[in-house]
Amino acid sequence: MDKMIAIAEQVAARLIANKQTIAVAESSAGGLIAAALLAVPGASAYFLGGAVVYTRDARRVLMDIPDEAMTGIRSASEPYAELLARQIKTRFATDWGLSETGAAGPTGNRYGDAAGHACFAVAGPASAVVTLESGSSDRFANMRLFATSALELLLTKLGQ
């Protein structure tokens, strides 16, 4: 079985057992995090929604984060990942918010991050933020890795 889906199944089982809900804000994973969670039967019990926040306009419109709130924060950073996780949790009134932001490749982003750079954050009863550097320029492999890594981070926090 696909590792990403196997982790999503574990996440789903814990969310259902705890009667908790989640919303997802992702960027360079392109919706794969939400897709993995929705691939698990019974997802409507825990998945309330998500957004692919790939552009500044998406950040404003989907996340209601104005440019002023970004002062001193750049995309594809740990502070931005934390902001996204908190904001998606608040906007959907869920127990958990999960976010991802990065540079899938094949080149880096305009902020100087290399392809394969991503930051993930969890906001909820337990919180965390991590940065990953895959060292790869393979866009789709990075997208899958980013989604899997975000779900793994969430799974560790669900166990606390």
Side-chain angles (χ1 to χ4, degrees):
M1 173 185 289
D2 182 271
K3 181 180 180 183
M4 182 172 47
I5 300 302
I7 296 165
E9 287 176 339
Q10 294 174 59
V11 165
R14 290 194 186 167
L15 288 169
I16 291 168
N18 295 334
K19 295 181 174 39
Q20 293 178 324
T21 56
I22 189 165
V24 176
E26 54 193 303
S27 176
S28 51
L32 289 177
I33 299 168
L37 290 169
L38 290 170
V40 180
S44 59
Y46 59 86
F47 187 87
L48 296 192
V52 176
V53 188
Y54 197 70
T55 64
R56 182 177 298 147
D57 286 344
R59 185 193 73 229
R60 283 190 217 112
V61 174
L62 299 174
M63 299 298 295
D64 194 29
I65 299 173
D67 291 341
E68 305 79 57
M70 292 294 293
T71 302
I73 299 175
R74 69 171 182 80
S75 297
S77 68
E78 288 188 0
Y80 183 57
E82 289 175 312
L83 176 61
L84 286 176
R86 287 192 311 268
Q87 187 72 352
I88 199 77
K89 177 185 179 301
T90 299
R91 288 184 66 75
F92 281 89
T94 55
D95 299 293
W96 297 92
L98 177 62
S99 72
E100 171 276 330
T101 178
T107 62
N109 62 26
R110 62 185 169 149
Y111 309 106
D113 300 307
H117 167 88
C119 298
F120 317 100
V122 173
S127 298
V129 61
V130 298
T131 297
L132 169 76
E133 302 288 347
S134 75
S136 171
S137 61
D138 183 324
R139 185 176 182 84
F140 191 65
N142 281 331
M143 291 172 71
R144 288 183 59 81
L145 176 63
F146 296 171
T148 301
S149 297
L151 289 166
E152 287 174 331
L153 178 63
L154 175 62
L155 186 59
T156 65
K157 293 298 137 188
L158 286 168
Q160 295 181 349

